[in-house]
Amino acid sequence: SPDLKYIAVALRDCTATIFDSVCLHQVKQYHHPYAVTCCAFTPDSGQLLTGCYDTLVRRFDVGKGRLIHTTTPSSSINKGVVIVVACVQQFAVVTRTREPGLDILDVKSLRTLKRLETGHATLAWVLKITSCGKYLLSLCERFINVWDTAPLLQKGIMKFVPEISVEVNAVEKYGPKLPSDQKLSWFSATFLPASLARYFLASSS
């Protein structure tokens, strides 16, 4: 969590579980009808958003340990399973299995405000928010994108476009060498964004 108090884990046993980050004791557990695919805290660490195999996004109150809101099935069923979720202040950014692109949701209502199809050629498997909240990093099999969140927060969703978009094959000059066949393994897709962030952010400053 942003306040460093908790660790949230999405599990295949149909739960999203929160642990104390110091002693690793279980603090809360939220049950779902199917396997939980992803989870993310809101910036104030007070709420947890989850994705599930039933295609719905849920918002839980961490302090009270209860479900607050769920996306309506009719608005989610044809969009695919949520792969990743990340929070940028009052917005949630999610990726789904059906097609490339990012969905921008209002955190409070979980209503989809806009779909961003720019910047990805395949499904985006990784979303990372920098600790300062200034940048969003997204990664698909072909492109790595860095999004400046300021336009999203100040000018509205219509102005939200990638500040930097680099093909995976061209990333070698920025840092770690990537596989030449463009096919990133799960290991690479999980750990590369953190190592690449410093190169991208340095080049954009």
Side-chain angles (χ1 to χ4, degrees):
S1 61
D3 62 7
L4 305 181
K5 290 183 179 180
Y6 305 113
I7 298 171
V9 183
L11 299 170
R12 294 182 64 184
D13 66 357
C14 305
T15 65
T17 305
I18 296 179
F19 299 91
D20 183 285
S21 63
V22 177
C23 61
L24 298 182
H25 287 168
Q26 181 178 308
V27 177
K28 293 284 191 307
Q29 189 172 66
Y30 306 106
H31 292 274
H32 295 65
Y34 300 97
V36 181
T37 55
C38 57
C39 58
F41 287 97
T42 53
D44 63 1
S45 302
Q47 299 175 20
L48 183 74
L49 271 64
T50 65
C52 179
Y53 263 95
D54 61 5
T55 75
L56 303 182
V57 178
R58 293 172 171 83
R59 179 165 58 94
F60 296 89
D61 186 296
V62 174
K64 297 180 180 179
R66 62 182 179 86
L67 176 66
I68 301 175
H69 198 71
T70 305
T71 51
T72 57
S74 60
S75 66
S76 301
I77 193 66
N78 294 323
K79 296 181 179 179
V81 176
V82 176
I83 304 172
V84 193
V85 59
C87 293
V88 184
Q89 294 195 25
Q90 70 268 35
F91 300 103
V93 184
V94 304
T95 67
R96 296 179 180 271
T97 55
R98 287 292 178 94
E99 55 187 355
L102 310 177
D103 284 339
I104 307 296
L105 280 61
D106 176 78
V107 165
K108 187 175 181 179
S109 66
L110 296 182
R111 180 172 61 90
T112 300
L113 303 175
K114 183 177 177 60
R115 178 163 184 81
L116 302 174
E117 299 181 352
T118 303
H120 297 96
T122 61
L123 299 179
W125 291 98
V126 177
L127 294 175
K128 299 287 185 181
I129 303 292
T130 54
S131 57
C132 63
K134 187 177 180 181
Y135 295 100
L136 168 70
L137 283 78
S138 62
L139 170 67
C140 71
E141 290 184 352
R142 186 175 175 186
F143 293 101
I144 297 176
N145 297 288
V146 178
W147 309 71
D148 187 341
T149 62
L152 175 64
L153 303 176
Q154 298 171 6
K155 301 178 183 179
I157 296 171
M158 297 302 293
K159 301 293 184 180
F160 194 45
V161 296
E163 181 172 286
I164 303 172
S165 184
V166 180
E167 284 202 53
V168 169
N169 278 357
V171 174
E172 291 183 12
K173 65 180 180 181
Y174 289 95
K177 185 175 181 179
L178 300 181
S180 59
D181 62 357
Q182 296 187 357
K183 295 287 187 179
L184 299 182
S185 65
W186 273 96
F187 178 86
S188 298
T190 302
F191 293 100
L192 278 176
S195 62
L196 288 170
R198 62 180 179 274
Y199 296 101
F200 284 123
L201 302 187
S203 65
S204 63
S205 59

